[in-house]
Amino acid sequence: QVQLVESGGGLVQAGGSLRLSCAASGRSFSSYAMGWFRQAPGKEREFVSGIKWGAGTTYYADSVKGRFTISRDNPKNTVYLQISSLKIEDTAVYYCAAKNTWYGPPPRLRSEYDYWGQGTQVTVSS
């Protein structure tokens, strides 16, 4: 059974940074696509960033390009999301997701993913 556990969220001032982690367990993830999504109160869950685990190719939503960086550590089976220059509108619960046996760009629709973590709260204050 695949498990995803996010960590690293917290309260940070605007302009600050955080590094979110997604620890994956249960199998080899070399053929997986991984995604980070976020959901703000009253809004739909939206794609933020994704990475093809095997190749390491990265993808970003336009709203975070240049501020967020996704990466993975293969030996640790962990995907990271470095979030910088935080804005008030980045406040949300951030979720890690995994899509099994997928070699294309990480999907941007939440329905495409097979596994989800429980989420980690990021709150940006002024």
Side-chain angles (χ1 to χ4, degrees):
Q1 182 69 13
V2 172
Q3 287 190 320
L4 305 175
V5 180
E6 301 99 331
S7 61
L11 174 63
V12 63
Q13 286 191 323
S17 300
L18 284 173
R19 189 177 78 160
L20 308 183
S21 299
C22 172
S25 62
R27 60 173 301 152
S28 170
F29 291 89
S30 61
S31 63
Y32 275 60
M34 304 296 293
W36 281 98
F37 285 71
R38 67 184 180 187
Q39 188 165 16
K43 294 190 176 181
E44 294 290 319
R45 192 171 298 186
E46 64 173 354
F47 174 85
V48 172
S49 182
I51 188 168
K52 295 166 65 174
W53 197 297
T57 316
T58 59
Y59 303 83
Y60 299 95
D62 289 342
S63 59
V64 306
K65 206 172 288 183
R67 299 190 298 121
F68 290 16
T69 303
I70 191 171
S71 61
R72 86 264 191 256
D73 184 328
N74 286 344
K76 294 184 178 180
N77 259 12
T78 299
V79 176
Y80 301 100
L81 186 68
Q82 178 72 40
I83 51 179
S84 305
S85 302
L86 279 161
K87 305 176 181 180
I88 301 292
E89 53 264 40
D90 293 320
T91 295
V93 178
Y94 283 71
Y95 297 90
C96 175
K99 182 170 178 66
N100 187 10
T101 315
W102 185 256
Y103 298 98
R108 298 187 179 227
L109 294 178
R110 61 179 293 184
S111 59
E112 296 284 336
Y113 287 81
D114 302 301
Y115 305 100
W116 289 87
Q118 82 289 350
T120 185
Q121 176 72 48
V122 172
T123 303
V124 184
S125 64
S126 58

